[in-house]
Amino acid sequence: MATTLWPTLEPPAPREFLPRHVAIIMDGNGRWASRRGLVRVRGHEAGVESVRDCVRYSGQTHLKALTLYAFSTENWKRPRTEVTYLMRLLKKYLIEERDELHANGVRLTSIGRVEELPKDVRECLEHVQEHTAGNRGLTLSLALNYGSQDEIRDAARALAGKVARGELSADEIDEAQVAAHLHTAGLPPVDLLIRTAGEQRISNFLLWQASGADFHVAQPCWPDFRRADLIEAMLAYAGRRKGAALAGPREPA
Ligand code: IPE
Ligand code: IPE
Ligand code: MG
């Protein structure tokens, strides 16, 4: 089967007003399914099409980075059948999308404790990451077994270790040092954080990285979320930036 090459699209607003890094808390799969009288996993399955559409659009408009919250550290508490299904779905996505992502210059990365994922899923993930590592287009980062507090604690431990070994002094620990010890090291900060299904919770996602981000709550459940909804969030973001640019620099206090 020939691989689809994505035609470039004009971004929805001048680039200077648009986010460089968008992160999405993909929520509402279960609700989407139950409202249709379906089992929850049908919602997860349907959500894959939303992932495809948003990834393509992000690639087509030359967004720098898109981070998707796919599985949290808390999500292990869900019924085992659901967890197994989610893992299987992830593996299927990686296998099916590898060539298209690669052909379109997408670099796949992950954040979270991926070493705790089932071995076959982890190997598949590592394979696609290695395969696309040299790409310079969109960075698609999948948050898997991710928890922001865990991540910050691990960074604190790593920095403390460096101080204990005399490699770093405590005074040298600044924002850049902390950022460099997070899983997102090298990625720009999150400019726009979207959560679907009308929820207003952060759910332990990118607490450090999204500290300056705009938060956009989208009403559709994730399986109904498409590029039009992403564009709406980006335009709202751009509108605020344009407004600020027109207002000019703030007077010093
Ligand atoms: C998001 O949808 C998918 C994951 C967390 C993996 P949910 O499964 O949380 O759906 P709701 O929130 O129960 O509707
Ligand atoms: C957040 O959604 C995690 C992901 C989208 C993977 P959840 O549905 O798991 O979060 P809570 O339980 O509403 O906080
Ligand atoms: Mg949920």
Side-chain angles (χ1 to χ4, degrees), residues 126-171:
E126 282 165 2
H127 166 73
V128 183
Q129 288 191 187
E130 281 162 23
H131 195 70
T132 62
N135 289 340
R136 290 290 167 264
L138 172 75
T139 297
L140 171 61
S141 171
L142 299 180
L144 297 164
N145 191 21
Y146 178 83
S148 193
Q149 290 190 334
D150 275 5
E151 183 193 29
I152 293 171
R153 186 203 53 213
D154 288 349
R157 281 187 186 159
L159 285 163
K162 286 190 179 173
V163 172
R165 291 191 297 275
E167 295 163 19
L168 194 70
S169 79
D171 292 342

Side-chain angles (χ1 to χ4, degrees), residues 28-38 197 219-221 224:
N29 294 354
R31 270 163 285 174
W32 181 92
S34 3
R35 282 176 200 155
R36 285 165 178 74
L38 303 169
Q219 294 309 317
C221 288
D224 286 330

Side-chain angles (χ1 to χ4, degrees), residues 91-217:
K91 188 173 162 187
K92 186 164 176 273
Y93 173 80
L94 292 167
I95 292 171
E96 286 178 358
E97 300 303 305
R98 186 196 80 161
D99 291 348
E100 185 167 322
L101 294 175
H102 186 51
N104 288 285
V106 177
R107 180 174 72 102
L108 187 102
T109 60
S110 57
I111 56 172
R113 296 196 170 177
V114 292
E115 62 278 10
E116 289 166 14
L117 294 176
K119 188 165 174 278
D120 59 328
V121 178
R122 198 182 63 228
E123 284 174 356
C124 198
L125 182 67
E126 282 165 2
H127 166 73
V128 183
Q129 288 191 187
E130 281 162 23
H131 195 70
T132 62
N135 289 340
R136 290 290 167 264
L138 172 75
T139 297
L140 171 61
S141 171
L142 299 180
L144 297 164
N145 191 21
Y146 178 83
S148 193
Q149 290 190 334
D150 275 5
E151 183 193 29
I152 293 171
R153 186 203 53 213
D154 288 349
R157 281 187 186 159
L159 285 163
K162 286 190 179 173
V163 172
R165 291 191 297 275
E167 295 163 19
L168 194 70
S169 79
D171 292 342
E172 285 170 327
I173 301 176
D174 55 9
E175 283 81 353
Q177 278 288 347
V178 176
H181 285 79
L182 299 174
H183 297 158
T184 45
L187 285 180
V190 175
D191 302 307
L192 176 61
L193 175 60
I194 300 172
R195 182 164 186 148
T196 62
E199 296 294 347
Q200 312 211 357
R201 279 189 303 285
I202 302 285
S203 295
N204 200 12
F205 191 43
L206 301 174
L207 301 177
W208 177 280
Q209 298 89 337
S211 64
D214 283 19
F215 190 43
H216 180 92
V217 176

Side-chain angles (χ1 to χ4, degrees), residues 40 52 79 90 111 162 253:
R40 289 177 57 82
R52 277 200 194 102
L90 169 63
I111 56 172
K162 286 190 179 173

Side-chain angles (χ1 to χ4, degrees), residues 3-35:
T3 311
T4 318
L5 286 179
W6 305 334
T8 298
L9 288 176
E10 274 300 309
R15 197 160 312 272
E16 66 206 279
F17 299 126
L18 285 171
R20 289 203 302 156
H21 186 173
V22 176
I24 308 181
I25 304 173
M26 309 183 288
D27 198 21
N29 294 354
R31 270 163 285 174
W32 181 92
S34 3
R35 282 176 200 155

